[in-house]
Each structure stands twice: as structure tokens, then as C-alpha cells.
Amino acid sequence: RRISFIKGSIESILEVSAFRITHSQVEPFTEIEKSHFLEIAKVHAAQAQRIIALAYKDLPAKDHYTTEDAESDVVFAGFVTMVDPPHEQV
């Protein structure tokens, strides 16, 4: 079994997500649901939290994969937030 795991900004991950996972069930991901996650992320961002979105995709068995193979129609797994204080130089 081969799985592509990807992480990135919430906007970039939602853009390539075609599915979402909830309670171990993978289902189609609607634009309304994506907008809801963006709104939640904005609340966290307003509190100076860094947001990292996570997704994955089961890949068919073959010898070579393109970026398109690994990073399109992925399953949105969620996002994490963390406090990332400015560095002294900033």
C-alpha cells in the first residue's frame, strides 16, 4: 500500500481536496464545508496561531508517480494550529 501524505496552508490543501474523512468515513468534500473550515482557520489566525493543513491519498501500485498523482483529489484530514511567536529579529 502506498500513501501520499501532504501538508501545507489551509487554502492550498482545501484547493486540492476532493474528499474529507469524518469518523473513519471518507466522503465527498463540498465547497460549503471547505468554506466552513476556512472560517474556522481565520478565527485561529486572528489569534496569532499558525495553521498547517493535512491530507492524504491512497495511491495505486506503480513504479512512478507524478506530483499530480500524489497531490490531487486528496482526502482532507484536518488542520493543526500552533503558537509561533515572532523571532527577535522580526
Side-chain angles (χ1 to χ4, degrees), residues 67-84:
T67 302
E68 179 71 18
D69 292 334
E71 296 182 0
S72 64
D73 298 329
V74 298
V75 179
F76 179 76
F79 64 87
V80 295
T81 63
M82 65 181 177
V83 176
D84 191 15

Side-chain angles (χ1 to χ4, degrees), residues 37-52:
F37 276 100
L38 275 175
E39 290 302 315
I40 294 170
K42 286 179 185 177
V43 170
H44 288 284
Q47 299 170 0
Q49 295 177 353
R50 184 170 179 196
I51 300 154
I52 301 171

Side-chain angles (χ1 to χ4, degrees), residues 4-76:
S4 169
F5 294 98
I6 62 172
K7 56 115 176 120
S9 70
I10 186 85
E11 296 85 0
S12 66
I13 297 299
L14 288 175
E15 186 177 312
V16 296
S17 296
F19 305 95
R20 63 170 169 73
I21 186 165
T22 305
H23 305 292
S24 301
Q25 295 291 101
V26 175
E27 298 176 349
F29 203 12
T30 68
E31 292 302 317
I32 292 171
E33 292 168 325
K34 290 179 183 184
S35 294
H36 177 71
F37 276 100
L38 275 175
E39 290 302 315
I40 294 170
K42 286 179 185 177
V43 170
H44 288 284
Q47 299 170 0
Q49 295 177 353
R50 184 170 179 196
I51 300 154
I52 301 171
L54 309 165
Y56 71 93
K57 181 179 182 180
D58 289 318
L59 297 170
K62 62 181 186 177
D63 293 333
H64 177 73
Y65 301 96
T66 65
T67 302
E68 179 71 18
D69 292 334
E71 296 182 0
S72 64
D73 298 329
V74 298
V75 179
F76 179 76

